[in-house]
Amino acid sequence: MQTRLGLFLECVMAAVFVVCLAGCSNPDPQPSPLPTPVASPVVPSRTASPSPSPEELNLRKAERAVHRFWRVIDRLSADPSSDLTVLTTVSRGPVAAQWARNINQYRFDQVRAEGRVAVRDVMARQSKDDDLYTVTACIDATQVNLVDKNGKSVVPPEGPRRVSYDYTVEKDRKEWYVTEEKVTKTC
Amino acid sequence: MVRHRGKGDEDLLKRAWTILFVPVLAAYVIIGGPDRASAEPVKCPSGHIWNPQAVTCVLKVTPPQPETNKSGTPSQSGSQPSNGEPRKCVSPYSGKELPCRDGKSWWSNVRGCYVSLADPQPPKSDPQWEGHTTGAIYECYSPAIVGTRMYTFWSATSPAGPAAPPDPRVLALRAIATMRLRAIGIGIVPEPKPGSVGIVGLPTWMWVADPGQHTWGPITRTASSAGYSVTATAKVQRVVWAMGDGKTVTCYKRGTPYADSFGKRASPDCGHTYTRQGTYTVRATSYWRVTWAGIGQNGTIPLDFTRTAVITMGEAQVLIR
């Protein structure tokens, strides 16, 4: 016969597990259109938290540049009539040219993207050049689909949907651009 | 005190084990724990690049770098492809051959679109310039729907293509080559010849001994190729005289040739006074500014030429003796 205490403990453990599972399996179910800072509860504190250094701020901006880059690609890939020139607001050189070609290929093939890429595990570090940053990120395309005009997916069923990238992000005056991208491994 | 577990406690532990461990193990397998633990490299064949949206390798775009020849000047791009680009115009999307021209636009095999110079050019503050101040902004037009702009891009040189117009800067350099620009002939008193000695403390006069189109400008020439023309005009902006005593004199005029009638007067526009006797190597560097315009673009090219002369300065008392 089960005691009341036993039942109570079972319920607590089950609830803890469910919460944990939900949090672990779906960390970024619906990425927002633009990277937004996570709102944390306002807790009255006697000591003000130290403001981030300029170096730390730049690292965060470099990371945000990769988020912005993907939000733009998501948008352009989804809308066949959009002007790809907007790519030059988030990327430059070979990366801008590559994604213009990629998205043009979608348009020629009459396919478009649905869903959004989730940019996870983003970490920036400054390179030797003051204005260049290397940003590593896991690009999660599990929620993205390329569909033809009939809504049928054209994405191969096999193949990695989560891949790790090394991005070079350049700061030019006050703007940030992705200038190089290199896929490395699954993540 | 030692406590013994009763049967009820054992049941409770078994249930806790079942509730926690089994689902966690299942979740680890389902979510992809093993995948995360064994990341595999993602590689594409040469000339291809991974597209995470399409989950496949796609053709890699390699925008051409500005080509330079051994002399450091931009080499011909455009109608004379030198980078191994095929002479046919082929769509990378369909693999089919396309017309190489569409009105003012020309096909770029590298970019996979019809290219034309953006008209008007956006202001240099526009992000499309990518921070550059030279080169130009070009537009890409869809091969599928001709006349539909796909995107714009910056390029240092005119994008190459089997039917591309010549790079206007290359034509400008060709026009400059026909100008036969050269350094000025040095006019100076004391004269740079044996037996001619200037007097320390008296004014030295400098001037352009052979002013003309080729030494002072202005001179204008036009170069043409494949029906396109660029016109360049060159003119000297200033002559910098390094006097050999550590001083430099910058003259914006040609200078006034000295005549005996001027006596001990200083040059009205280009002169110097030595304070010590000796032999001095004088270097006159003329700085040119070449402005060019054509094929919808314009620009400037700086040039400079130098000539030297050796003069002698002596003390007046030494000369009298």
Side-chain angles (χ1 to χ4, degrees):
Chain A
M1 187 177 156
Q2 197 169 13
T3 65
R4 288 191 173 191
L5 176 63
L7 268 173
F8 173 72
L9 283 175
E10 279 186 21
C11 290
V12 168
M13 286 187 288
V16 166
F17 169 71
V18 167
V19 169
C20 174
L21 186 60
C24 296
S25 64
N26 199 10
D28 187 8
Q30 289 296 321
S32 57
L34 287 171
T36 50
V38 177
S40 54
V42 178
V43 179
S45 171
R46 289 186 181 181
T47 56
S49 60
S51 55
S53 66
E55 291 78 17
E56 287 170 339
L57 277 175
N58 279 339
L59 291 173
R60 299 296 83 76
K61 286 177 181 175
E63 291 170 2
R64 279 205 291 273
V66 174
H67 281 279
R68 282 198 310 131
F69 170 67
W70 272 105
R71 294 295 71 83
V72 166
I73 291 175
D74 283 338
R75 198 166 72 237
L76 297 176
S77 305
D79 179 5
S81 62
S82 54
D83 187 341
L84 301 186
T85 300
V86 73
L87 276 169
T88 59
T89 63
V90 293
S91 59
R92 282 181 172 176
V95 174
Q98 184 65 51
W99 277 98
R101 165 73 74 82
N102 291 351
I103 297 169
N104 280 328
Q105 185 72 57
Y106 299 162
R107 293 175 182 184
F108 184 84
D109 296 338
Q110 294 188 302
V111 300
R112 60 184 177 81
E114 288 182 345
R116 287 172 174 168
V117 161
V119 182
R120 304 186 193 283
D121 306 331
V122 192
M123 183 171 288
R125 65 178 190 279
Q126 192 169 5
S127 66
K128 289 177 185 173
D129 188 324
D130 278 352
D131 293 329
L132 288 182
Y133 294 78
T134 301
V135 180
T136 58
C138 179
I139 302 305
D140 184 346
T142 51
Q143 301 302 311
V144 177
N145 202 3
L146 288 182
V147 296
D148 64 16
K149 55 187 174 184
N150 299 317
K152 187 183 171 188
S153 174
V154 296
V155 176
E158 304 295 330
R161 294 299 194 97
R162 285 193 306 256
V163 288
S164 191
Y165 270 86
D166 288 341
Y167 293 102
T168 300
V169 175
E170 178 184 332
K171 179 188 179 189
D172 184 7
R173 282 163 277 192
K174 291 182 178 177
E175 305 299 326
W176 296 76
Y177 304 92
V178 176
T179 56
E180 289 176 35
E181 60 176 354
K182 186 184 175 189
V183 68
T184 55
K185 58 182 186 285
T186 56
C187 56
Chain B
M1 192 171 82
V2 178
R3 289 190 61 179
H4 295 274
R5 284 189 306 217
K7 192 172 183 304
D9 289 335
E10 284 178 4
D11 284 344
L12 184 60
L13 282 173
K14 279 181 184 173
R15 286 187 188 191
W17 176 258
T18 306
I19 289 171
L20 278 177
F21 179 73
V22 174
V24 166
L25 180 64
Y28 183 70
V29 172
I30 292 166
I31 292 166
D35 282 349
R36 287 167 190 252
S38 60
E40 293 176 2
V42 178
K43 290 182 178 175
C44 287
S46 175
H48 291 70
I49 192 170
W50 183 255
N51 179 342
Q53 283 183 321
V55 197
T56 188
C57 293
V58 295
L59 271 176
K60 184 177 181 179
V61 177
T62 309
Q65 299 297 314
E67 296 170 42
T68 54
N69 55 29
K70 285 180 182 174
S71 64
T73 54
S75 63
Q76 175 76 37
S77 62
S79 60
Q80 304 291 327
S82 58
N83 55 359
E85 180 170 351
R87 289 201 163 272
K88 286 183 177 177
C89 298
V90 180
S91 167
Y93 312 113
S94 66
K96 292 179 180 174
E97 197 168 335
L98 295 163
C100 286
R101 286 199 72 93
D102 176 56
K104 287 184 176 179
S105 305
W106 64 96
W107 178 257
S108 164
N109 282 320
V110 171
R111 295 208 170 251
C113 62
Y114 285 99
V115 172
S116 65
L117 190 72
D119 184 20
Q121 290 281 293
K124 295 279 170 69
S125 57
D126 193 290
Q128 294 170 67
W129 281 93
E130 301 185 2
H132 299 283
T133 55
T134 57
I137 302 299
Y138 296 87
E139 294 180 331
C140 246
Y141 288 91
S142 168
I145 313 165
V146 174
T148 305
R149 192 181 80 172
M150 297 195 301
Y151 67 100
T152 63
F153 62 94
W154 169 87
S155 180
T157 56
S158 185
D167 188 330
R169 197 168 186 278
V170 171
L171 282 187
L173 291 173
R174 201 180 292 172
I176 291 169
T178 65
M179 294 177 180
R180 293 185 292 115
L181 305 179
R182 62 175 188 266
I184 62 164
I186 291 181
I188 193 165
V189 163
E191 293 177 75
K193 64 183 182 184
S196 177
V197 180
I199 298 175
V200 169
L202 290 183
T204 296
W205 289 47
M206 295 96 75
W207 66 93
V208 178
D210 55 352
Q213 278 191 324
H214 308 293
T215 56
W216 190 257
I219 181 170
T220 299
R221 292 287 184 272
T222 298
S224 302
S225 176
Y228 296 92
S229 295
V230 168
T231 297
T233 299
K235 192 177 186 314
V236 169
Q237 298 293 293
R238 66 189 185 282
V239 178
V240 176
W241 299 79
M243 303 307 296
D245 60 352
K247 307 277 178 55
T248 59
V249 178
T250 301
C251 299
Y252 296 93
K253 294 182 177 179
R254 284 181 280 184
T256 306
Y258 180 78
D260 290 342
S261 59
F262 293 136
K264 295 178 182 177
R265 275 189 284 166
S267 168
D269 46 19
C270 192
H272 179 63
T273 301
Y274 285 95
T275 57
R276 299 175 73 113
Q277 66 177 356
T279 300
Y280 297 98
T281 299
V282 176
R283 294 169 56 84
T285 303
S286 48
Y287 289 90
W288 293 76
R289 185 170 190 257
V290 185
T291 57
W292 59 265
I295 320 179
Q297 294 185 60
N298 57 65
T300 60
I301 296 171
L303 292 170
D304 62 82
F305 301 91
T306 299
R307 194 182 299 279
T308 61
V310 177
I311 60 170
T312 304
M313 303 301 295
E315 300 282 356
Q317 56 191 16
V318 175
L319 294 176
I320 291 167
R321 208 183 299 159

